[in-house]
């Protein structure tokens, strides 16, 4: 099974190329965007497993992109990177749903480890895991995996035959 698909959003071309190369060398599939608007267009074209975005970009900032990603693609993990490491911004980003916040410069291994921690690299599916092809279904299972890692109670509701039991079993197995 191929490793996860990552979308890199960075306005600095040289740094974007370095981030892409770093993740490709770690066998991730990588797409790229030079700004937040381009990133939203890429996400509309095809789903990804994670977004890694710079914070300071012209137009929409990484924090604003995080808000749009959370609104349009709930459960899609997003990591922010910045050259300006302020604790208050990192806390705000994490509270807004960012899965991690890296301060530049960082070693390539730090990026690879952080991304692997979120998307699991090339982890093979067990025979018990659900198969989801629809982008909306994939996002539901990404959100379910995120919830499974927390200490929260979950209530699943829906019409008969929509897969509530499958989702409940998946959350239980991932907990």
């Amino acid at each position: 099974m191929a490793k996860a698909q990552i979308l890199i959003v960075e306005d600095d071309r040289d740094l974007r190329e370095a981030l892409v190369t770093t993740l490709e060398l770690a066998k991730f599939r990588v797409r790229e965007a030079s700004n937040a608007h381009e990133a939203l267009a890429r996400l509309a074209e095809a789903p990804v497993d994670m977004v890694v975005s710079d914070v300071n970009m012209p137009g929409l900032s990484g924090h604003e992109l995080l808000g749009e990603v959370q609104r349009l693609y709930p459960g899609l993990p997003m990591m922010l990177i910045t050259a300006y490491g302020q604790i208050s911004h990192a806390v705000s980003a994490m509270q807004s749903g960012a899965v991690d916040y890296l301060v530049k410069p960082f070693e390539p291994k730090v990026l690879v480890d952080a991304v692997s921690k979120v998307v699991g690299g090339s982890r093979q599916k067990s025979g018990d895991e659900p198969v989801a092809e629809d982008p909306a279904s994939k996002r539901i299972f990404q959100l379910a995996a995120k919830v499974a890692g927390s200490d929260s109670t979950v209530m699943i509701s829906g019409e008969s035959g929509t897969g509530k039991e499958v989702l409940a079993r998946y959350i239980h197995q991932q907990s």
Side-chain angles (χ1 to χ4, degrees):
M1 175 179 217
K3 280 200 174 187
Q5 176 89 42
I6 311 299
L7 174 62
I8 298 291
V9 188
E10 170 63 62
D11 59 318
D12 179 318
R13 192 185 82 206
D14 292 337
L15 180 54
R16 184 174 65 246
E17 287 176 3
L19 295 170
V20 167
T21 301
T22 296
L23 291 175
E24 285 177 343
L25 288 171
K27 305 293 187 234
F28 286 100
R29 295 175 297 134
V30 185
R31 299 175 68 210
E32 55 187 282
S34 60
N35 59 57
H37 293 293
E38 190 179 324
L40 292 170
R42 296 270 186 274
L43 289 171
E45 293 169 7
V48 298
D49 298 300
M50 182 177 183
V51 177
V52 177
S53 176
D54 186 21
V55 170
N56 297 311
M57 299 181 290
L60 290 178
S61 73
H63 289 281
E64 292 167 319
L65 176 60
L66 173 63
E68 284 299 295
V69 167
Q70 293 293 315
R71 184 177 68 80
L72 297 169
Y73 308 97
L76 176 61
M78 184 163 163
M79 176 189 307
L80 294 175
I81 56 176
T82 184
Y84 309 99
Q86 294 181 324
I87 292 173
S88 61
H89 289 143
V91 169
S92 172
M94 300 297 275
Q95 288 174 335
S96 297
V99 294
D100 210 337
Y101 196 90
L102 298 181
V103 178
K104 301 179 218 173
F106 47 81
E107 294 296 317
K109 183 178 180 347
V110 171
L111 175 64
V112 171
D113 288 348
V115 169
S116 295
K117 183 175 74 174
V118 174
V119 295
S122 60
R123 184 175 63 93
Q124 295 291 322
K125 287 185 179 263
S126 71
D128 296 340
E129 288 189 31
V131 176
E133 293 298 323
D134 179 64
S137 296
K138 287 182 178 182
R139 286 192 295 275
I140 287 171
F141 283 106
Q142 287 172 338
L143 181 59
K146 190 174 180 181
V147 168
S150 70
D151 187 24
S152 300
T153 302
V154 178
M155 182 173 114
I156 303 170
S157 62
E159 295 181 24
S160 178
T162 57
K164 296 179 299 292
E165 187 176 323
V166 171
L167 187 60
R169 189 176 312 114
Y170 178 76
I171 292 171
H172 178 73
Q173 289 170 342
Q174 298 297 311
S175 294

